[in-house]
Amino acid sequence: MFKAVLILISTINILFLITYSVADKPCVSRKYNHSSVVCVCNATYCDEISKINVLETDQYVIYSSSMSGQRFEKQYGSLNKNNINEFQKADNVILHINRSNEFHKVSGFGGSFTDAAGINILSLSKNTQKYLIDSYFSENGLEYNLARVPIGGCDFSTHPYAYNMMPENDIELSNFSLTTEDHTYKIPFIKEALKVSTDNILLVGTAWSPPTWMKTNKAIGGESRLISEYYQTWANYHLKFLEEYNKKNVSFWAITTGNEPSNGILPIMGFNSLGWMPKEQSMWLVQNLGPTLKNSIFRNISIFALDDQRISLPWWIDWMAETEGAMDYIDGIAIHWYWNDFVSATPIETLHKSFPTKTFLATEACIGDKPWQLEKVELGSWERAEAYIKDIMEDLNHWHIGWIDWNLALDRQGGPNWIENYVDSPIIVMPNEDEFLKQPMFYGLGHFSKFIPRDSKRIDVQKVNGDIDNVAFLRPDGGITVVYYNPFDIDKSLTIQEEGKGFIQMTVQARSVHTLVYW
Ligand SMILES: *[C@@H]1O[C@H](CO)[C@@H](O)[C@H](O)[C@H]1NC(C)=O
Ligand SMILES: *[C@@H]1O[C@H](CO)[C@@H](O)[C@H](O)[C@H]1NC(C)=O
Ligand SMILES: *[C@@H]1O[C@H](CO)[C@@H](O)[C@H](O)[C@H]1NC(C)=O
Ligand SMILES: *[C@@H]1O[C@H](CO)[C@@H](O)[C@H](O)[C@H]1NC(C)=O
Ligand SMILES: *[C@@H]1O[C@H](CO)[C@@H](O)[C@H](O)[C@H]1NC(C)=O
Ligand SMILES: *[C@@H]1O[C@H](CO)[C@@H](O)[C@H](O)[C@H]1NC(C)=O
């Protein structure tokens, strides 16, 4: 599949030889009514991107995707060792990479094994299912290595439920068992993913709502609190979940303190929730959840606090920290992306200064959630890919160790969702055609997940002249990954330079995203 075209480009009297090729196994594109295309996969064909090989020193590869329809198209070359000053032009953006100025380490990227994702994957034939899982997790896919798993039901289930709904007031959780959803929609696909992944997939568990009898309002959604006599039962519930999944050989890396506690305080949406204020939740953490986990075989499981919008920062964590011992149980802070457009990342910097050992993890993102987004699934929307790219870059530039997308797959409507809270997903299934469609968002996320392996360290980039959003990493194999994005409707001239290594001079197409890797 190597279609090489040699192009001679003359820039300031110097000739470059650049080799272009199509993607490893190219996208079969289809245009719907939006700005860009989707890539169509079926039982016999799906586009792929091979695991990246370490190149010789000073060789580079650039992968490109664009509104105009490129998907992971590759270009090879060698770093230019000439004097960079010959290339300075007034309108040229320059990115200076400095690998000796290091920041945090990355844990990974991924999506979520919701009931809806499982139902949608199952709606396809076996071969097509395999291509879908491979697209995300295998070495020929995005190489996802993080995933979130709801503990019980959430809105992306066909009905509201939690474990041990019956009998009521069952303080011993005597009837706790996994559900059909776990056995049919979650565990089989988690196992498939683990099987094809070359990395260890780190799982994050999150509960949405306890069984209704533990709650003040006796309902799955709405305004609620945990009844105080069930504080320990709710901690044991988490333990039982981890035990049951362990019996299935599925072990978790982390849990969060619960999905979006604000949703049970100001219930705008009536889906599964539990309301907490930071003071109450930190008491539960210190007296119940924390000690329960630390005294169990799950003592190494990380606990992420918040699991809610950025707007809750930093006050939520500051308030939690007032409870003695609370921060000792917290390994990191989980943040959802909704409303990030309206809230700057400054509070993350503030929190990082106050709590330098705590990590930040983006645990949920999707588009189409807003009431004014009337079309929930937009097939081929480049703008939605842009929103992902922009947010991932911003988070990575502000201490985030990873970014987890929401549903791995949804249907044409953006569901199923028992409360009709339909949204978009990077993969949309079309069961009647036995196809699935990879949205531009899929590739936007892939420009990070594929090329920033676990334990890569963010490094400094100094930007000169203008605006090409970017983020750079030193990979464990000694390579440098730079992801950069041109949000403008015009092409931009760009130089990426590292002192002592050389530079690359290029034109960055309008509305396009790129990943450069060199050694
Ligand atoms: C695109 O839009 C046209 C007119 O708005 C509509 O008739 C058509 O069904 C749409 N096509 C698709 C594939 O959604
Ligand atoms: C699957 O897609 C490939 C590539 O577009 C196409 O050649 C093939 O006919 C499709 N198979 C089916 C069963 O639709
Ligand atoms: C790179 O960063 C290090 C550490 O901050 C600094 O000492 C050095 O001067 C920087 N190098 C360049 C070329 O800017
Ligand atoms: C235990 O839970 C199941 C559903 O998982 C329910 O059918 C059954 O009635 C419950 N048992 C009791 C004693 O409530
Ligand atoms: C779990 O793994 C063990 C050891 O590999 C194996 O014997 C057992 O059958 C597995 N259990 C399940 C439920 O997969
Ligand atoms: C927890 O981690 C420590 C240190 O990494 C390790 O020695 C220990 O075996 C782990 N314990 C469990 C229960 O996994």
Side-chain angles (χ1 to χ4, degrees), residues 41-43 123-126 128-129 430-436:
C41 294
N42 62 22
S123 73
L124 302 168
S125 72
K126 273 271 177 261
T128 313
Q129 288 181 27
M430 308 287 262
N432 296 338
E433 293 78 16
D434 191 31
E435 286 175 351
F436 63 90

Side-chain angles (χ1 to χ4, degrees), residues 363-436:
T363 43
E364 202 186 296
C366 69
I367 313 192
D369 58 299
K370 303 290 183 297
W372 59 85
Q373 290 162 339
L374 297 179
E375 196 177 352
K376 297 304 177 180
V377 173
E378 289 188 348
L379 294 177
S381 165
W382 186 255
E383 292 75 9
R384 290 188 171 187
E386 257 173 11
Y388 268 39
I389 292 162
K390 210 172 128 258
D391 192 75
I392 297 169
M393 270 184 190
E394 183 179 69
D395 282 350
L396 291 173
N397 279 318
H398 294 281
W399 305 107
H400 281 57
I401 60 167
W403 204 91
I404 308 180
D405 186 33
W406 194 208
N407 302 276
L408 286 168
L410 290 175
D411 64 20
R412 186 67 187 81
Q413 188 176 26
N417 183 293
W418 72 266
I419 198 159
E420 300 183 357
N421 181 26
Y422 302 127
V423 298
D424 213 336
S425 167
I427 286 186
I428 299 297
V429 300
M430 308 287 262
N432 296 338
E433 293 78 16
D434 191 31
E435 286 175 351
F436 63 90

Side-chain angles (χ1 to χ4, degrees), residues 2-7 9 18-22 74-76:
F2 190 80
K3 192 178 83 187
V5 187
L6 294 179
I7 300 177
I9 300 175
I18 296 178
T19 311
Y20 286 102
S21 81
V22 295
K74 281 197 292 192
Q75 172 186 318
Y76 290 97

Side-chain angles (χ1 to χ4, degrees), residues 87-94 464-466 490-494:
F87 295 87
Q88 304 305 299
K89 288 193 293 175
D91 62 342
N92 193 42
V93 182
I94 309 171
V464 182
N465 263 351
I490 51 164
D491 294 359
K492 289 271 177 178
S493 163
L494 174 70

Side-chain angles (χ1 to χ4, degrees), residues 16 19 22 49 70 86 101 108 118 130 135 159 193 221 230 244 271-272 291 353 408 471 475 480 505 517:
F16 288 102
T19 311
V22 295
I49 174 172
Q70 291 179 304
E86 291 175 41
N101 199 355
K130 167 98 177 104
S135 291
H159 61 111
Y230 297 126
E244 291 303 315
F271 61 73
N272 323 42
K353 283 202 187 78
L408 286 168
V471 64
R475 299 158 48 103
I480 298 288
Q505 172 66 37
V517 191

